[in-house]
Amino acid sequence: MAEDRSSADVVVVGAGPVGLLLAGELAGAGVDVVVLERLDVPTTASRASTLHARTMEILDSRGLLPRFGRPLSELRGHFGGIPLDLTLPSSHPGQWKVPQTTTEAVLQEWAIARGAVIRRGIEVTDVAEGTGQVAVRAAGRGGEAVVRASYVVACDGEDSTVRRLVGADFPGQDAGRELLRADVDGIDVPDRRFERLPEGLAIAARRADGVTRVMVHDFGARAGHRDSEASFEEVAAAWKQVTGEDISAGTPLWVNSFGDVSRLLARYRHGRVLFAGDAAHKQMPIGGQALNLGLQDAFNLGWKLAAVIRGQNGEELLDTYHDERHAVGTRVLVNIRAQALMLLGGPDVEPLRSVLAELIGHEEIRAHLAGMISGLDIRYDMGGGSHPLLGARLPHATLRAGGDRVTTAALLHGGSGLLLDLRGGRGGGLECAGWPDRVTAVNGRAGPGSALDGAGAVLVRPDGYVAWAGDEGLTEALTRWFGPAR
Ligand SMILES: Cc1cc2nc3c(=O)[nH]c(=O)nc-3n(C[C@H](O)[C@H](O)[C@H](O)COP(=O)(O)OP(=O)(O)OC[C@H]3O[C@@H](n4cnc5c(N)ncnc54)[C@H](O)[C@@H]3O)c2cc1C
């Protein structure tokens, strides 16, 4: 056990992608963070493979994208299996194909380089909140130990131990239907993209290495409780039932099942214990939204928790984490359930699918759904004001600032707030001198036609969301999001 670390500002439970991104954010903001992870080494299991546009923008805003190499991307997505063009204004529109193992490796290296301590082979077994601290009990090869922290963030996945330990209310519904999937070598079946056949749903995609990923749902099948993982025999039988094709002679490399479970924590914050990622929401990974939702939780929480720990802000800032991310989680889970119904529902959902397919042909509806899936349409409640950017993410643009050309993403690399004055010297100076360590002031110019042309002055939070825009109320906004002036 980590005897050398009996205390930390923050203990993060779980070194999955969400815990690692959070640890990197906290460490980069000068917070003493320890991650406790029960696995000795990162899993190599095949899981999520898609990063959506907003997640790519977030990674870009910390300068992380070069570490991902040159992932393939495509604008073609789907909504409940109905083709959906994901084109939207963004530096990284569409879906980006990145194996989850790569995402975790990049984030782990980054978090460690920023000073996070990651302890593997250590399982958290108890969490007890006392006055001003939380005691985290954990067991490892070296025995048991307790790490005391000001805050604990549970990033311990969909079967979260911490969620159970604190008795958190986790309303929703269990899986009624399930999708079986397998990576199979040595089979030759036609590629199928969300093909709904009379007996069920079949998906097949052959990779360059000859391995085919098949996914199948037999319309009659109900999800039951599983004590063990699905077998290849089950997959082959369902495939035969739905497509008539026999894949039983293939060699299964990986078999997995997932259901249309949908649960969301009632509160993302329980005193000094917070939840992020799958620990806060359990959902079917349709459209690759599960991982993206979790990464964006971590990005919302990191700077807020750091500000509270540094004593800049009061704890009410942490309540905005719940307010903002619970609302986003609610909305994403609804769209996932809608998609699950459309994908796994029997012939009775066909009329609904036909109507939606027709509606998606209208640009406004296509763009609306693309904004929802990609995370680009998120808009947080920042209080009054009618500026079109208020609450939205700072859009991608290249600006002229101090004689240089700089992207909006690069301006956020340092992880501090940003007061961006694009008024071209009109309207007098903006005052943020009382927040020198928390907010960077930048005077710039946005070119004609750029997404920030005519935007005026905006205050941007470290997670890239516009907290204030316009002329009035800057001091109040600075104080609300960055604490009192020094
Ligand atoms: C088989 C499978 C396929 C998936 N496919 C997709 C997909 O196609 N698209 C998609 O978007 N999403 C998919 N997902 C979901 C996606 O992988 C998750 O949304 C993502 O991993 C969530 O990240 P996380 O960090 O919140 O949790 P996790 O990745 O689950 O990480 C949690 C970590 O906490 C650790 N942990 C748990 N309990 C303890 C404890 N008591 N003490 C210490 N450590 C603990 C675990 O070992 C783990 O490393 C899939 C998931 C699985 C399992």
Side-chain angles (χ1 to χ4, degrees):
M1 175 60 212
E3 294 89 350
D4 50 328
R5 294 307 307 266
S6 58
S7 68
D9 291 332
V10 177
V11 166
V12 172
V13 185
V18 175
L20 292 168
L21 178 60
L22 178 65
E25 279 293 280
L26 289 168
V31 171
D32 176 21
V33 54
V34 174
V35 183
L36 302 179
E37 165 58 53
R38 72 173 166 208
L39 297 179
D40 289 326
V41 290
T43 175
T44 55
S46 175
R47 288 161 296 150
S49 58
T50 299
L51 296 179
H52 282 293
R54 180 60 192 143
T55 304
M56 292 296 283
E57 291 182 353
I58 280 171
L59 297 170
D60 194 20
S61 73
R62 291 297 180 266
L64 278 164
L65 283 184
R67 299 176 189 228
F68 284 84
R70 300 171 70 86
L72 293 174
S73 71
E74 62 175 344
L75 292 167
R76 189 177 59 154
H78 74 95
F79 191 89
I82 299 170
L84 175 69
D85 178 352
L86 294 171
T87 303
L88 281 177
S90 165
S91 58
H92 293 83
Q95 13 182 353
W96 298 75
K97 293 295 161 195
V98 181
Q100 190 168 324
T101 46
T102 303
T103 304
E104 290 180 13
V106 166
L107 293 176
Q108 172 166 295
E109 189 185 89
W110 175 72
I112 291 173
R114 297 185 125 202
V117 174
I118 298 172
R119 300 286 183 211
R120 289 191 167 273
I122 291 169
E123 178 156 14
V124 169
T125 55
D126 194 31
V127 169
E129 185 170 346
T131 311
Q133 63 167 24
V134 192
V136 180
R137 184 172 293 279
R141 266 184 302 280
E144 276 211 338
V146 172
V147 185
R148 292 177 204 285
S150 302
Y151 290 91
V152 169
V153 188
C155 301
D156 53 344
E158 62 174 9
D159 297 321
S160 170
T161 307
V162 180
R163 197 173 63 219
R164 178 176 50 76
L165 288 169
V166 305
D169 188 16
F170 195 42
Q173 59 200 45
D174 292 327
R177 309 174 221 238
E178 74 176 356
L179 201 56
L180 299 170
R181 58 181 175 178
D183 287 348
V184 194
D185 202 3
I187 59 171
D188 187 13
V189 296
D191 271 8
R192 294 192 160 91
R193 195 171 160 84
F194 301 107
E195 198 169 323
R196 283 170 54 86
L197 299 160
E199 298 288 330
L201 170 75
I203 300 157
R206 193 178 169 90
R207 302 194 311 226
D209 62 2
V211 173
T212 303
R213 173 163 290 186
V214 294
M215 297 196 215
V216 60
H217 170 71
D218 165 0
F219 286 147
R222 308 293 302 166
H225 174 73
R226 285 190 179 276
D227 289 324
S228 57
E229 198 44 91
S231 67
F232 180 56
E233 287 67 33
E234 278 180 79
V235 180
W239 192 261
K240 176 96 178 142
Q241 168 79 15
V242 171
T243 67
E245 295 161 5
D246 185 359
I247 58 168
S248 61
T251 307
L253 305 178
W254 173 73
V255 179
N256 163 249
S257 65
F258 57 92
D260 56 352
V261 59
S262 182
R263 290 188 176 276
L264 185 71
L265 268 185
R267 302 285 318 162
Y268 279 29
R269 176 177 175 220
H270 286 239
R272 291 180 172 272
V273 181
L274 297 118
F275 292 83
D278 279 7
H281 34 75
K282 200 166 177 174
Q283 61 283 305
M284 205 170 193
I286 290 187
Q289 292 179 96
L291 171 63
N292 290 269
L293 181 61
L295 290 172
Q296 291 172 42
D297 289 343
F299 207 63
N300 184 290
L301 177 58
W303 70 275
K304 294 177 179 174
L305 189 51
V308 172
I309 287 186
R310 289 194 305 238
Q312 292 165 354
N313 289 70
E315 285 203 323
E316 62 281 358
L317 188 62
L318 296 179
D319 292 327
T320 69
Y321 167 64
H322 165 82
D323 296 341
E324 293 178 352
R325 295 307 300 171
H326 184 272
V328 171
T330 303
R331 188 158 179 260
V332 171
L333 262 57
V334 166
N335 100 48
I336 289 177
R337 280 175 57 201
Q339 295 196 67
L341 275 174
M342 293 205 311
L343 269 178
L344 307 182
D348 48 339
V349 299
E350 283 304 331
L352 181 64
R353 295 178 59 86
S354 301
V355 172
L356 190 69
E358 207 176 304
L359 288 174
I360 286 178
H362 295 270
E363 171 55 17
E364 204 175 323
I365 291 169
R366 179 208 68 78
H368 181 90
L369 291 176
M372 189 187 263
I373 301 292
S374 60
L376 292 173
D377 73 349
I378 291 169
R379 195 170 270 262
Y380 297 131
D381 180 5
M382 302 289 180
S386 58
H387 193 287
L389 288 179
L390 193 63
R393 86 215 203 278
L394 182 67
H396 167 70
T398 302
L399 308 173
R400 281 209 170 277
D404 295 326
R405 286 170 66 79
V406 62
T407 64
T408 43
L411 290 173
L412 290 165
H413 278 187
S416 67
L418 183 66
L419 181 57
L420 195 53
D421 187 347
L422 302 172
R423 299 171 305 164
R426 292 185 299 278
L430 294 170
E431 186 49 62
C432 70
W435 293 264
D437 49 338
R438 289 163 272 172
V439 179
T440 307
V442 174
N443 289 320
R445 270 192 298 121
S450 120
L452 284 173
D453 186 16
V458 292
L459 176 66
V460 186
R461 308 190 316 194
D463 59 353
Y465 286 87
V466 175
W468 169 90
D471 303 312
E472 304 283 308
L474 175 59
T475 304
E476 290 77 9
L478 283 163
T479 308
R480 177 178 181 205
W481 295 108
F482 299 99
R486 292 258 158 84

